[in-house]
Every structure is written in C-alpha cells, then in structure tokens.
Amino acid sequence: MKILITLCEGPHDVAFLYRILLTDGFVNSKLKLSEYPKPLDEYLSKQAIGEKISERKLEDVRERLLPSDVLVRGEDELVLLYAIGGDGKKELRSQLIKDIRSMAALTDPRAFMPTSAGDKYAVFYLFDADDRGIDKRVDEIRAELSNILSVDVKLTGNGSKCTIENIDYGAYIFARPDANYGKLEDILIPLMQKGNEEVFDKAESYLSTYHEPERLKRLTIERNDKGELVEKRKSKKGSKFDIQKSKIGVAGQLQNSGATNSVCIKHSDYLTFSKIREDKSCQEIISVFGILLS
C-alpha cells in the first residue's frame, strides 16, 4: 500500500483537497484505527489517546498529530490529510516526519516487527505562495526537509518529487493560475463563483458595505483602577480581515447554516465534478498526487 501524508497549512486546504480527490476516485475512509497498516495503526491510536494526557495543557492536547480527513482509493492507496499550520508549525511537521521515518524503517525485514514490504510512505507539502513566490516557497520546504532529514534534499520545483531512505517527498505551491504569487483562494474563489456570480457579487457588496476595521479590535472584559469590571476594545487587531475568506463564509451560509468555511468548501455545490475536472490548477494538483502515489 502507498501511504501519503499530506501536510497542509489549514483546514480550508484540507477541505479543498478532499473535494478534488473525490473527483479522482478517492472515497472517505471508513477504516477503524486498528485496521490501518502496521505500525501506522498503533501510531494513530497512541496519538488519539495521548501519552500522559492528564499532565498536559489543553492547548498541547489539541496539537496531537491526527489527520483531519483520510481518503482511500481501492486497497492500495491511502491519503492522510493533516491541517498542521504554516511557518510557525515547523516543530510539529518535524515531529511527524521523524515519526513517519521511524515507521518506514520498520519495512526492513530484519526489524523486530517489520511492516509489509509492499507498504511505502510519501510526504506531501502544500503551501501558499503568498507574496514570496513559488520558487522561494519550494526552497523553504527543501531547506526545512534538509534540516529534518540531515541530508541535502533535492526538490527542483513546484510539483517535484525526491526519494530519501525509501520515502518520497513532494511539494505543491498554491498560486494564482499562470502566476508566481497568490494563495489557495486564488484557485478556489473563481471556481466557486463560476455560475454563481450574483451570489458572490452580493456577498462582496455586503462585506464592503458593513466591514469596519475598528471592530477587528476585539472586546475584552477587565478590571479598571477601581476594581470594577468594564468592557473595552483592545488596542490591537485580533484578526486580519480577508474578504476572500469572508465571501466563502457568507455565500456558504446559504447552504450550510452555522458551518465553518471548511464545511462550506467540503459540502456546498459551488464546487462541482465538472468544474474541478476542467480546471488547470486542480488537474495539476491531482497529477502531483498521482506522482507521489506511484
């Protein structure tokens, strides 16, 4: 079995990849933890239970290394989609990759409990280009992997693949179509808007009309000099306004009331089979998945 570990920046990426992979014959996995290939089954079980969990802080418990979604195709391909985070989550990515290396090493027939010789692992980074550009992002991933693996990793460009110690590594950078910069939403929003232009135009008009930058500074309750509880607005913004992400949320509520953007991306009919199959960027992503699963 080929086991692909996909490292995404956030849940929106995972939801989008989930929709894309469905159009390529993948289905949501129904496997119980005990039914995953060894030793992945034991690893996921330990992550789910947690080690010395009573001695850990809640924020640490939330960062257990478990996939957001898992998909399968036939009996030979398994994709685990992780929403780990971006630049600030190098330590988590490093830990996961080291854990995967340990599991892959057990394919050695001389190991005490070898896994099936037919099982092979792959690790797939998917990041936004942002304003750094595709090549810079690939270089950053290459440098991160080189540091984790203590070897010179040779990722030569977007969608490239290299093999180290029987594990395949690859990277894909989201950007505006036929451009060097951008992010996931530059692929996602045009797809969702196609055929739904009025809905998204109205959503953007609503956001532009009622957005107030000052209200990004969140309200807090604290005690004043007299010891009285008072409500005041913080001096710094608590979040960054992103009209693209907000448009997804506003339009998505028409079909998924109270749902997060991830749920709207994963389940709304703004993304369809034909749109994904006809989109160049989506097909590029599917192609890289195919390369890493080969």
Side-chain angles (χ1 to χ4, degrees):
M1 173 176 279
K2 191 65 180 281
I3 303 162
L4 178 55
I5 310 296
T6 303
L7 309 180
C8 303
E9 292 191 76
H12 296 176
D13 307 55
V14 167
F16 186 46
L17 294 175
Y18 182 95
R19 288 295 293 267
I20 289 176
L21 290 172
L22 291 182
T23 70
D24 201 37
F26 283 87
V27 296
N28 187 42
S29 173
K30 302 298 183 184
L31 293 173
K32 298 176 182 177
L33 291 180
S34 61
E35 295 173 333
Y36 281 79
K38 292 186 177 300
L40 184 60
D41 59 343
E42 295 179 7
Y43 176 75
L44 292 175
S45 295
K46 286 181 180 178
Q47 290 294 323
I49 296 171
E51 295 181 10
K52 298 181 180 179
I53 196 167
S54 63
E55 299 176 15
R56 302 178 69 183
K57 297 178 181 178
L58 280 176
E59 55 265 31
D60 296 330
V61 173
R62 295 190 190 102
E63 289 192 337
R64 281 179 287 173
L65 291 169
L66 288 168
S68 301
D69 277 297
V70 180
L71 297 101
V72 297
R73 184 167 61 183
E75 297 181 356
D76 300 319
E77 296 172 313
L78 181 68
V79 176
L80 287 76
L81 300 173
Y82 281 82
I84 286 189
D87 297 328
K89 298 297 181 180
K90 289 183 180 180
E91 187 175 333
L92 277 179
R93 287 193 297 273
S94 176
Q95 183 59 58
L96 180 55
I97 289 171
K98 289 176 181 177
D99 292 343
I100 297 303
R101 288 183 76 193
S102 297
M103 283 186 273
L106 293 181
T107 57
D108 186 336
R110 296 167 296 178
F112 178 65
M113 292 181 64
T115 62
S116 168
D119 289 345
K120 186 175 181 182
Y121 288 86
V123 175
F124 189 12
Y125 276 72
L126 291 108
F127 276 13
D128 289 334
D130 293 322
D131 58 359
R132 301 182 189 181
I134 292 173
D135 292 340
K136 176 65 174 177
R137 275 298 196 188
V138 172
D139 284 344
E140 289 172 350
I141 293 170
R142 182 195 58 75
E144 180 172 307
L145 280 171
S146 295
N147 182 60
I148 295 170
L149 303 175
S150 299
V151 298
D152 183 18
V153 174
K154 299 185 183 301
L155 287 175
T156 57
N158 203 17
S160 61
K161 162 187 163 181
C162 66
T163 304
I164 300 167
E165 297 176 346
N166 202 39
I167 300 177
D168 293 329
Y169 296 90
Y172 184 86
I173 310 302
F174 298 119
R176 291 188 296 276
D178 301 315
N180 193 44
Y181 301 92
K183 55 187 177 180
L184 170 71
E185 285 76 16
D186 293 314
I187 302 171
L188 176 60
I189 292 285
L191 274 176
M192 297 183 78
Q193 287 183 160
K194 187 177 180 180
N196 304 286
E197 286 81 5
E198 184 177 0
V199 171
F200 281 84
D201 287 347
K202 295 287 188 183
E204 183 168 353
S205 175
Y206 170 82
L207 291 164
S208 299
T209 300
Y210 295 106
H211 170 59
E212 297 178 31
E214 186 65 19
R215 298 184 76 175
L216 293 176
K217 298 175 182 178
R218 294 172 178 166
L219 291 174
T220 184
I221 297 175
E222 56 186 56
R223 293 190 183 275
N224 62 17
D225 294 339
K226 298 178 181 179
E228 302 167 328
L229 286 175
V230 295
E231 184 177 67
K232 62 180 294 186
R233 198 171 292 277
K234 292 185 177 181
S235 59
K236 295 182 179 180
K237 293 179 181 179
S239 63
K240 178 182 177 182
F241 180 69
D242 186 317
I243 195 165
Q244 289 183 308
K245 287 183 171 65
S246 294
K247 278 201 296 184
I248 294 172
V250 172
Q253 294 304 304
L254 297 174
Q255 298 175 25
N256 301 276
S257 295
T260 63
N261 277 16
S262 300
V263 173
C264 296
I265 294 167
K266 192 173 180 179
H267 297 295
S268 73
D269 65 10
Y270 298 127
L271 292 173
T272 64
F273 181 84
S274 61
K275 285 184 185 181
I276 292 170
R277 293 300 291 266
E278 294 168 6
D279 183 76
K280 179 182 176 182
S281 296
C282 290
Q283 293 312 300
E284 284 180 352
I285 294 167
I286 287 175
S287 176
V288 182
F289 267 98
I291 291 169
L292 286 167
L293 286 165
S294 62

